[in-house]
Amino acid sequence: MLVERPKSAENIGPIKIYYPQRIIKLGSKSPTLSALNFPKESLDHILKDFSIIIPIKNEDIRLFDSAIRSIPSDCHIIVVSNSNKEKCEKEMRLIEDFHDMTGDPIIFAHQRDPSIGSALEDIGYTSILDNGLVRDGKGEGLIIGLLITKCLKRKYVGFVDADNYMPTSIYEYVLDFAIGIAMSQTPYSMVRLLWKYKPKAVGDKLHLEKWGRVSRITNKYLNLLLSSLFGYETSIIMTGNAGEHAMTMELAERLSYASGYSFEPYQLIHMLESADDLDLKEDVEIFQIETLSPHMHENKGEEHIKDMILTSLSTIYHSRLSNKKLQEKIIKELKEKNILKDDKPPKNTIISPIKDINAKGFINSVKRESDIFMELR
Ligand code: GDD
């Protein structure tokens, strides 16, 4: 695969954020002046160390089926569901069929499984719990996936959504994750994907839009925040809400996380705010890679979009790096969009790092107690 060489980057303390790099070509022979070459074989050793986490909540089972079949075989798939009983049973049957057909290793967990809640309670990891159960929320599901990845001792973790209308594009996304890892010079790296296009149905036509309605706004305010820190204007952040992203576990284990859909924007805020407290031995590198495949996913409606905008902007509003002028702009934006109910956005719940968690003890206890958790090897 050919990917544009890293161009310029911005450094904020130990955090280095690269400007987006385009995937130029999927198959390729050799590097060029403007592009690095990563043949698939050169990425295989990285893919072998990847776990890919798929969060799912009541999605179309056919999309989910194609999504898991699109993940390169070397990766360990971890599905974390928050679906209702009927959908959950379908997901479990499908995973068994998938494993029978492919032999690929796959793990299934349900985040509201009481065995998971009580195992976390026992090891004292309670910031993710409410009344003894893991809270609802995409971010919470991803953290369960991170704990499982820690237990599997995989070096890298990637996240892909289950509601992708072009699921085979997930194959490219995972290779793009591996390319980011291959380019990285440090044990602490993150790869965030942005889309070449996000096609939208308008009447009877597909429009090839570039930005989603949430990303457009989150990116704008993250860039305003950075501009105020740098003292010059920047538009470097193009992946504020990157649902499809990957990290080294060395980095993932050190981060705190925000609940629900604030998971992705908060990663950036948290690293900028707390880099000095993360016990890093080297710098962090953040790559933003523009995929060749377009991205089409399920449309979950207006309220969902509003909720995502609110929780995303809340991470910026409440950051200690934010300033009064930026906060006023955020309030104005939220009021104009009829999103804000109170005088300021509610704070997102923050979940502690998993670095010091006994993941093995956690999984062993879940395996013993749960009748939903499945590990197929
Ligand atoms: N386990 C679990 N728990 N999964 C969930 C939950 C939950 O509470 N809520 C949603 N999911 C799953 C969905 O089933 C889907 O596979 C994935 O998480 C993304 O959720 P969506 O509700 O489909 O989000 P979206 O498509 O609007 O937004 C996505 O893209 C954004 C960037 O454009 C998400 O990945 C966002 O986090 C991302 O910022």
Side-chain angles (χ1 to χ4, degrees):
M1 291 174 68
L2 277 181
V3 60
E4 270 182 318
R5 289 178 187 275
K7 288 167 277 185
S8 40
E10 300 281 7
N11 290 287
I12 310 107
I15 313 287
K16 185 171 197 168
I17 308 178
Y18 290 91
Y19 277 87
Q21 295 164 251
R22 284 179 306 149
I23 297 291
I24 307 285
K25 200 167 181 300
L26 295 185
S28 57
K29 290 197 186 80
S30 47
T32 63
L33 274 181
S34 55
L36 299 169
N37 185 33
F38 293 96
K40 162 80 173 49
E41 312 79 74
S42 73
L43 300 173
D44 284 346
H45 71 285
I46 296 176
L47 295 173
K48 280 194 177 64
D49 262 321
F50 247 104
S51 82
I52 298 294
I53 299 172
I54 310 189
I56 180 163
K57 186 173 181 185
N58 301 327
E59 299 296 352
D60 184 325
I61 200 78
R62 291 164 300 182
L63 296 185
F64 173 59
D65 179 27
S66 308
I68 54 178
R69 292 205 232 172
S70 301
I71 292 170
S73 275
D74 283 327
C75 305
H76 203 127
I77 305 174
I78 301 171
V79 178
V80 186
S81 175
N82 192 11
S83 300
N84 61 35
K85 192 162 183 287
E86 189 195 341
K87 288 264 186 183
C88 174
E89 282 166 4
K90 282 191 182 156
E91 290 159 9
M92 291 172 75
R93 273 202 300 278
L94 195 133
I95 282 173
E96 279 173 332
D97 288 348
F98 166 81
H99 180 69
D100 288 346
M101 280 188 297
T102 63
D104 287 358
I106 184 161
I107 289 180
F108 177 87
H110 196 284
Q111 78 189 69
R112 304 284 287 171
D113 178 351
S115 323
I116 291 191
S118 66
L120 291 172
E121 191 108 59
D122 288 348
I123 56 171
Y125 191 68
T126 51
S127 53
I128 195 170
L129 299 178
D130 186 23
N131 275 329
L133 290 180
V134 171
R135 280 192 304 273
D136 280 323
K138 180 194 160 191
E140 284 77 352
L142 300 184
I143 293 168
I144 299 306
L146 282 174
L147 285 167
I148 299 172
T149 303
K150 181 174 162 79
C151 177
L152 293 173
K153 295 195 166 33
R154 293 264 158 157
K155 281 195 195 151
Y156 315 112
V157 63
F159 307 93
V160 297
D161 291 347
D163 60 339
N164 192 324
Y165 274 103
M166 285 185 283
T168 50
S169 61
I170 294 175
Y171 187 78
E172 185 212 328
Y173 303 162
V174 177
L175 295 191
D176 296 348
F177 293 162
I179 287 177
I181 299 289
M183 286 190 297
S184 160
Q185 315 263 337
T186 140
Y188 312 113
S189 50
M190 179 178 275
V191 188
R192 302 171 73 94
L193 301 189
L194 67 144
W195 318 122
K196 189 175 174 70
Y197 298 114
K198 227 178 158 188
K200 291 251 161 60
V202 181
D204 59 358
K205 288 217 161 62
L206 273 185
H207 275 231
L208 297 183
E209 289 183 10
K210 176 83 186 157
W211 303 108
R213 286 160 62 194
V214 183
S215 335
R216 197 187 301 262
I217 294 173
T218 309
N219 291 343
K220 172 179 160 187
Y221 286 95
L222 282 169
N223 282 318
L224 281 173
L225 177 72
L226 283 182
S227 302
S228 75
L229 296 178
F230 295 155
Y232 56 84
E233 211 173 312
T234 182
S235 55
I236 190 166
I237 301 290
M238 301 199 195
T239 55
N241 290 96
E244 273 68 13
H245 66 288
M247 286 181 269
T248 57
M249 280 301 284
E250 287 266 21
L251 176 62
E253 289 199 22
R254 285 172 163 77
L255 299 182
S256 298
Y257 293 98
S259 54
Y261 295 102
S262 49
F263 190 82
E264 292 91 4
Y266 182 73
Q267 290 166 345
L268 294 175
I269 293 289
H270 175 53
M271 284 189 279
L272 294 172
E273 278 180 344
S274 319
D276 292 337
D277 307 325
L278 296 179
D279 186 25
L280 301 168
K281 290 164 197 74
E282 292 178 45
D283 289 354
V284 174
E285 285 185 303
I286 303 175
F287 296 93
Q288 305 183 90
I289 297 187
E290 185 191 278
T291 62
L292 190 59
S293 313
H295 187 73
M296 263 184 104
H297 63 110
E298 188 80 89
N299 180 354
K300 306 267 167 60
E302 199 59 31
E303 283 313 304
H304 173 65
I305 297 281
K306 285 184 174 179
D307 179 49
M308 283 177 52
I309 294 174
L310 180 66
T311 54
S312 298
L313 293 194
S314 168
T315 62
I316 304 168
Y317 181 94
H318 290 289
S319 167
R320 62 181 167 77
L321 302 175
S322 193
N323 58 53
K324 200 155 184 340
K325 207 165 141 210
L326 182 58
Q327 287 178 327
E328 282 167 3
K329 281 191 178 155
I330 291 175
I331 299 285
K332 188 162 176 272
E333 178 87 52
L334 291 171
K335 287 213 163 129
E336 275 170 9
K337 298 211 155 28
N338 234 339
I339 296 178
L340 197 61
K341 295 202 178 68
D342 304 310
D343 55 343
K344 52 176 146 167
K347 271 191 179 174
N348 295 303
T349 308
I350 304 301
I351 302 161
S352 344
I354 61 163
K355 186 164 173 284
D356 298 321
I357 296 292
N358 172 4
K360 191 97 200 147
F362 159 68
I363 292 293
N364 285 341
S365 152
V366 173
K367 277 190 201 164
R368 242 185 352 261
E369 302 298 329
S370 173
D371 40 15
I372 311 178
F373 186 87
M374 277 199 306
E375 182 176 23
L376 305 176
R377 307 188 248 199

